[in-house]
């Protein structure tokens, strides 16, 4: 058959790309091969718009065992222990079918981690929704939260934190970014390179169905008014099967039977087999008749492109098939030898005795297009916007704490089991989650961070800030930041203004990671996050992991004692541009992003972390969204202890209390220790200010303005339950 232009377009390929495919094959593709190229050359799988720029990111450090290029990154955390983690998106499926989209996003990122030989120990998620008043938002929030909780809780892996934000730019394209952290021994890390010829290729897990076909292609295109019709491309997850698969894989990994292993994620069997062969410098031959199928009369096209969940592909040492099959049958999972590795460097698939695909392996990977898409530099927004100086500081604080972006997320995280496995040291709501390395005094600190409102006016500074914020959150609990995974969510890269946001964002991330010795060990790009031509705010989410060697020295954000001195580390200039205050109180999204001085970030963070490590400070909170007064209120609410503070600098109260200057921390310590800390900071030329003291049941500002903690708590805790308790959840626009 001759491939038509319409078929090429339906598969998300350009005429130029198909012409390149013909050259690589030396002939026209058949329909199966067209489908294979479609998913492997999709933006979601090939990173064809970003690959050149991603190569500029720092990826190495003495503690990095495995950087980008595998299912997940790996870092050494001492004593023969390794931490494996990654963050990925499931944005498009979650908009179409929120419960299953979010659930399978959780399942997929877990498989990325345990296919490396790790047992997952913690989950996080970074969620972005549209305006609360949009008719679909509450339905999406309900479905996504239920999907995350339903899958994670069934797996018995704690969901320990994350972030949730609302903005009109996400009305037609929500973001669901899932992060998984796991533990393994450094000598038991499994990779996906299928080296050697004549080795059996085995399929394990659930049967293959018709769900999820062309999911990778869908995730590489803009939404429009017909997107609801793409519901069949959303996979359906089964966490109970995933739990069995996890245990079976870990049992097999305890043997020496595995040469390579890979989960079947985006692009399913095609991606897993082709990528394994490419990494191993080998070829692969598949017999699709042997693929376990849950539906009748499945075609080769459907089997190769299905994204059915809870499936893995492994390459075993010859003669170990029976041993492996026994393990998987014990766990009541499908097992089948469906192919063999070869020395031909070709991807060959057979069905009903005929070859249905015969493609050079490298043409699906190395020969995938890499674009240097044009971009147009836009002058970053700058300047301090005008603001109303007459507004009440206390009234503004109370209102901010009850806004959608700043209200308590308790309604969400109480639906997640964050204590299962009994190693969660710090529950959701702190600067960073903390999970003990089982049987040791070590703990991993985990956070996700980005401020999209900074990234639109200045993508470069916004990218820097996302990394710096993650680094500060880990530092604030006392952990040494070690590495990040990124999830780069942007609009259409074929628009020069969007491509500039991508390029500048990556440059900012890279600069911050180099300055903070905080390498990128893996991640995900999610582009084409647009609906009817309207793109999302640039949202380069950063997932950070750090190590606290002695969990007993964990610093928490809540005030612990009455009479402690409240100390501000860092300089306050009163930057209100793109601040929460300006947006929520004055109704403006104006001005430039706050500048991030990375040398200052490093100096201040190292100083604060040193105090925690020395056991001298146990109460720390970094300053970010909302500024100084919001941070004080959060510390008071967490500890149920009030505070009295004064305006220590700046002539105007609004920028002092609500400016979002970077590189700042709040510390609370007894008087004698506080005096020493202040003196040491000044000796180190670090800006330091005594703001006031803890005590009472209210926040008091400048000895006159006052609000009780009970009133603040009612406002802070009340928004989400009220929002979600409306009688009807709209299902459609």
């Amino acid at each position: 058959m001759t491939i038509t232009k319409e078929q090429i377009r339906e598969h998300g390929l350009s005429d130029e790309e198909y012409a390149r495919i013909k050259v690589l094959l030396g002939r026209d593709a058949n329909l199966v091969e067209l489908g294979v190229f479609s998913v492997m050359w999709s933006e979601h799988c090939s990173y064809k718009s970003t690959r050149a720029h991603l190569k500029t990111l720092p990826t190495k450090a003495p503690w990095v065992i495995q950087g980008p290029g595998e299912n997940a990154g790996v870092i050494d955390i001492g004593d023969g222990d390794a931490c494996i983690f990654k963050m990925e998106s499931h944005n498009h499926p979650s908009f179409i079918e929120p419960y299953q989209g979010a659930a399978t996003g959780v399942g997929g990122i877990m498989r990325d981690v345990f296919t490396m030989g790790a047992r997952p120990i913690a989950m996080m998620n970074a969620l972005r929704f549209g305006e609360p008043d949009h008719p679909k938002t509450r339905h999406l929030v309900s479905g996504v939260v239920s999907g995350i909780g339903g899958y994670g809780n069934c797996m018995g892996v704690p969901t320990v934190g994350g972030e949730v934000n609302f903005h009109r730019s996400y009305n037609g394209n929500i973001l669901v970014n899932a992060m998984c952290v796991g533990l393994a021994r450094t000598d038991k890390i499994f990779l996906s390179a299928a080296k050697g010829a004549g080795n059996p290729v085995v399929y394990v897990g659930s049967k293959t169905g018709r769900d999820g076909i062309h999911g990778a292609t869908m995730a590489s295109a803009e939404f429009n008014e017909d997107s609801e019709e793409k519901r069949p491309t959303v996979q359906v997850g089964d966490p109970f099967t995933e739990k069995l698969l996890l245990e079976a894989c870990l049992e097999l990994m305890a043997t020496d039977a595995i040469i390579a292993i890979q989960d079947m994620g985006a692009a399913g069997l095609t991606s897993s087999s082709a990528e394994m062969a490419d990494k191993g410098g080998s070829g692969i031959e598949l017999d699709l008749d042997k693929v376990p199928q849950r539906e009748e009369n499945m075609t080769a096209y459907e089997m190769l492109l299905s994204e059915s969940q809870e499936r893995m592909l492994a390459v075993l040492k010859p003669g170990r098939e029976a041993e492996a099959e026994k393990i998987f049958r014990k766990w009541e999972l499908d097992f089948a030898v469906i192919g063999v590795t070869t020395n031909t460097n070709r991807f060959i698939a057979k069905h009903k005795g005929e070859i249905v695909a015969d493609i050079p392996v490298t043409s699906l990977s190395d020969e995938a297009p890499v674009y240097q898409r044009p971009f147009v530099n836009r002058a970053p927004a700058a300047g301090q916007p005008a603001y109303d100086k007459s507004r009440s500081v206390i009234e503004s604080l109370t209102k901010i704490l009850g806004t959608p972006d700043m209200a308590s997320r308790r309604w969400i995280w109480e639906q997640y089991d964050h204590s299962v496995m009994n190693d969660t040291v710090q529950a959701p709501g702190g600067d960073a989650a903390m999970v003990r390395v089982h049987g040791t005094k070590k703990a991993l600190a985990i956070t996700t961070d980005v401020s999209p409102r900074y990234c639109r006016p200045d993508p470069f500074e916004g990218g820097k800030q996302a990394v710096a914020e993650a680094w500060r959150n880990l530092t604030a609990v006392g952990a040494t930041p070690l590495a990040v995974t990124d999830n780069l969510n942007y609009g259409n890269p074929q628009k020069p203004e969007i491509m500039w946001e991508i390029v500048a964002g990556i440059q900012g991330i890279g600069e911050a990671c180099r300055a903070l010795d905080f390498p990128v060990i893996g991640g995900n790009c999610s582009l084409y996050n647009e609906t009817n031509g309207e793109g999302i705010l640039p949202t380069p989410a950063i997932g950070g992991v750090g190590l606290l060697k002695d969990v007993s020295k964990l610093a928490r954000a809540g005030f612990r004692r009455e009479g402690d001195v409240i100390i501000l580390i860092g300089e306050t200039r009163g930057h209100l541009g793109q601040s929460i205050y300006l947006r929520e109180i004055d109704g403006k999204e104006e001005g430039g992003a706050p500048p991030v001085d990375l040398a200052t970030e490093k100096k201040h963070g190292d100083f604060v972390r040193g105090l925690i490590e020395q056991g001298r400070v146990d109460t720390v909170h970094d300053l970010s969204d909302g500024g100084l007064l919001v941070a004080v209120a959060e510390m008071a609410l967490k500890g149920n202890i009030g505070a009295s503070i004064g305006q220590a600098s700046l002539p105007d109260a609004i920028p002092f209390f609500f400016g979002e200057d970077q590189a700042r921390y709040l510390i609370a310590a007894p008087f004698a220790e506080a005096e020493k800390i202040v003196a040491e900071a000044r000796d180190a030329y670090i800006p330091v200010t005594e703001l006031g003291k803890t005590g009472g049941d209210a926040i008091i500002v400048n000895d006159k303005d006052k609000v009780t903690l009970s009133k603040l708590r009612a406002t802070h805790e009340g928004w989400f339950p009220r929002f979600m308790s409306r009688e009807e959840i709209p299902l459609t626009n």
Side-chain angles (χ1 to χ4, degrees):
M1 64 171 285
T2 301
I3 297 296
T4 66
K5 287 185 178 294
E6 184 178 1
Q7 287 174 316
I8 294 169
R9 287 193 299 273
E10 287 174 348
H11 283 77
L13 295 165
S14 68
D15 291 342
E16 293 76 16
E17 287 171 342
Y18 184 67
R20 176 63 177 160
I21 290 169
K22 289 174 63 175
V23 171
L24 292 169
L25 292 177
R27 55 176 171 79
D28 276 311
N30 61 39
L31 186 60
V32 173
E33 292 166 334
L34 184 69
V36 168
F37 274 104
S38 169
V39 294
M40 294 302 294
W41 284 19
S42 69
E43 192 73 59
H44 191 78
C45 290
S46 75
Y47 295 172
K48 55 191 176 186
S49 298
T50 56
R51 199 186 309 179
H53 304 285
L54 294 171
K55 289 180 178 180
T56 66
L57 293 172
T59 60
K60 299 184 183 300
W63 53 91
V64 174
I65 296 173
Q66 177 64 56
E70 274 292 338
N71 290 288
V74 186
I75 55 174
D76 192 329
I77 57 171
D79 309 307
D81 295 319
C83 174
I84 293 90
F85 66 98
K86 190 181 182 183
M87 182 160 56
E88 274 203 350
S89 62
H90 229 221
N91 303 335
H92 290 65
S94 297
F95 181 79
I96 295 171
E97 178 47 65
Y99 184 95
Q100 292 296 346
T104 52
V106 170
I109 196 63
M110 281 193 191
R111 287 194 300 282
D112 279 339
V113 166
F114 74 72
T115 193
M116 301 287 293
R119 180 174 292 279
I121 63 163
M123 294 292 302
M124 272 207 167
N125 49 78
L127 312 176
R128 265 84 194 180
F129 299 100
E131 296 168 296
D133 291 339
H134 189 276
K136 199 167 183 176
T137 297
R138 196 157 51 96
H139 163 64
L140 291 169
V141 172
S142 177
V144 167
V145 171
S146 296
I148 292 169
Y151 207 102
N153 295 351
C154 290
M155 283 292 295
V157 178
T159 299
V160 295
E163 50 183 345
V164 182
N165 292 118
F166 299 85
H167 191 272
R168 61 182 178 277
S169 76
Y170 306 109
N171 279 344
N173 199 129
I174 65 173
L175 302 184
V176 177
N177 298 169
M179 179 178 175
C180 182
V181 179
L183 288 172
R185 300 294 290 175
T186 55
D187 59 351
K188 284 288 186 179
I189 306 298
F190 290 82
L191 305 178
S192 59
K195 298 178 180 179
N199 301 316
V201 177
V202 300
Y203 171 121
V204 299
S206 292
K207 288 181 171 62
T208 294
R210 292 186 170 94
D211 50 325
I213 294 172
H214 273 298
T217 308
M218 178 194 69
S220 307
E222 296 181 23
F223 276 148
N224 56 40
E225 60 274 4
D226 299 322
S227 294
E228 291 289 342
E229 297 176 4
K230 296 182 178 181
R231 198 175 296 270
T233 64
V234 179
Q235 312 94 321
V236 178
D238 179 357
F240 300 103
T241 299
E242 177 110 335
K243 175 65 173 173
L244 299 176
L245 183 61
L246 163 65
E247 299 299 339
C249 286
L250 292 178
E251 185 172 338
L252 181 62
M253 289 167 171
T255 72
D256 64 346
I258 297 175
I259 294 174
I261 187 167
Q262 172 110 324
D263 82 294
M264 294 192 219
L269 182 56
T270 291
S271 176
S272 56
S273 56
E275 289 177 358
M276 290 172 79
D278 179 59
K279 291 174 184 176
S282 63
I284 196 161
E285 187 172 307
L286 302 176
D287 184 349
L288 300 179
D289 294 333
K290 297 179 179 178
V291 172
Q293 302 161 51
R294 71 166 184 260
E295 300 184 46
E296 295 181 355
N297 301 317
M298 290 193 69
T299 65
Y301 183 100
E302 291 169 332
M303 282 185 278
L304 285 171
L305 271 61
S306 166
E307 295 183 7
S308 296
Q309 297 291 285
E310 292 83 43
R311 303 180 301 160
M312 306 282 278
L313 200 67
V315 176
L316 304 180
K317 296 176 180 177
R320 307 297 294 273
E321 298 94 323
E323 178 184 359
E325 181 173 9
K326 184 178 180 181
I327 291 172
F328 284 92
R329 297 295 185 196
K330 182 185 77 173
W331 290 99
E332 299 181 345
L333 296 167
D334 278 283
F335 178 97
V337 179
I338 66 166
V340 64
T341 59
T342 69
N343 60 6
T344 64
N345 296 111
R346 300 190 73 82
F347 173 88
I348 296 173
K350 297 179 178 179
H351 187 223
K352 297 182 178 179
E354 295 184 1
I355 294 176
V356 293
D358 185 354
I359 305 170
V361 168
T362 55
S363 69
L364 298 174
S365 52
D366 298 344
E367 297 292 340
V370 177
Y371 294 124
Q372 291 282 358
R373 298 204 186 274
F375 57 90
V376 176
N377 289 336
R378 187 177 73 233
Q384 179 85 318
Y387 60 95
D388 186 345
K389 299 180 181 181
S390 67
R391 295 188 187 275
S392 163
V393 168
I394 286 296
E395 288 178 6
S396 296
L397 170 67
T398 306
K399 182 178 179 180
I400 286 171
L401 287 178
T403 58
D405 272 9
M406 300 302 294
S408 168
R409 271 59 180 140
R410 181 183 299 275
W411 182 90
I412 293 177
W413 57 257
E414 283 187 344
Q415 298 185 57
Y416 306 149
D417 190 340
H418 58 268
S419 60
V420 65
M421 301 179 79
N422 205 36
D423 281 317
T424 303
V425 181
Q426 175 149 286
D431 283 308
M434 190 69 70
V435 181
R436 184 184 292 103
V437 178
H438 192 74
T440 76
K441 64 179 184 179
K442 298 184 297 190
L444 292 171
I446 312 164
T447 187
T448 60
D449 295 283
V450 65
S451 298
R453 66 185 187 279
Y454 297 162
C455 298
R456 173 60 55 83
D458 193 335
F460 177 74
E461 213 60 33
K464 286 167 59 181
Q465 195 276 338
V467 174
E469 173 69 8
W471 193 86
R472 282 202 303 273
N473 279 341
L474 300 174
T475 293
V477 298
T480 301
L482 293 177
V484 307
T485 177
D486 56 35
N487 201 146
L488 309 181
N489 307 273
Y490 291 93
N492 184 347
Q494 296 177 59
K495 297 178 178 178
E497 64 273 19
I498 301 296
M499 195 64 215
W500 171 72
E501 293 177 348
I502 297 169
V503 172
I506 292 172
Q507 290 173 342
I509 290 168
E511 183 166 308
C513 287
R514 280 185 287 272
L516 300 173
D517 209 12
F518 204 25
V520 179
I521 63 167
N524 169 243
C525 289
S526 175
L527 309 185
Y528 295 95
N529 290 290
E530 298 198 1
T531 301
N532 295 327
E534 294 294 321
I536 63 166
L537 289 176
T539 311
I542 300 296
V545 172
L547 178 67
L548 184 63
K549 292 182 179 180
D550 184 353
V551 72
S552 68
K553 294 181 178 179
L554 165 67
R556 301 183 188 270
F559 293 140
R560 300 195 188 215
R561 295 166 294 271
E562 298 212 0
D564 275 5
V565 180
I566 303 170
I567 302 167
L568 171 65
I569 301 292
E571 184 179 8
T572 299
R573 297 180 178 178
H575 189 98
L576 286 176
Q578 302 299 329
S579 65
I580 290 290
Y581 176 89
L582 197 72
R583 189 183 74 190
E584 301 297 342
I585 304 301
D586 280 359
K588 300 176 181 176
E589 295 182 45
E590 297 177 2
V596 179
D597 185 317
L598 294 167
T600 300
E601 289 282 2
K602 184 79 164 57
K603 185 177 182 179
H604 294 184
D606 289 350
F607 178 76
V608 170
R609 192 185 315 104
L611 295 173
I612 300 170
E613 289 173 346
Q614 295 162 27
R616 298 169 59 190
V617 169
D618 61 6
T619 309
V620 180
H621 190 23
D622 89 299
L623 271 66
S624 54
D625 293 350
L628 190 156
L629 191 56
V630 168
V632 170
E634 290 172 340
M635 297 175 81
L637 290 171
K638 292 179 190 301
N640 201 30
I641 298 173
S644 178
I645 64 170
Q647 186 180 331
S649 64
L650 304 181
D652 295 330
I654 296 301
F656 177 76
F657 286 119
F658 298 108
E660 295 183 7
D661 306 276
Q662 303 293 293
R664 297 187 300 164
Y665 301 81
L666 284 177
I667 294 171
F671 177 80
E673 189 61 53
E675 292 299 294
K676 294 177 185 176
I677 291 169
V678 169
E680 290 172 20
R682 288 171 177 164
D683 288 344
Y685 299 99
I686 292 172
V688 60
T689 307
E690 293 185 44
L691 290 175
K693 291 185 178 180
T694 64
D697 62 355
I699 303 292
I700 303 173
V701 177
N702 292 334
D703 295 323
K704 57 181 182 178
D705 294 330
K706 176 179 178 179
V707 61
T708 63
L709 295 188
S710 60
K711 182 177 180 179
L712 282 180
R713 181 168 284 107
T715 301
H716 188 52
E717 299 277 358
W719 185 85
F720 246 107
R722 287 196 303 271
F723 172 62
M724 297 305 299
S725 65
R726 297 176 189 171
E727 291 181 4
E728 297 179 4
I729 297 177
L731 298 178
T732 58
N733 288 316

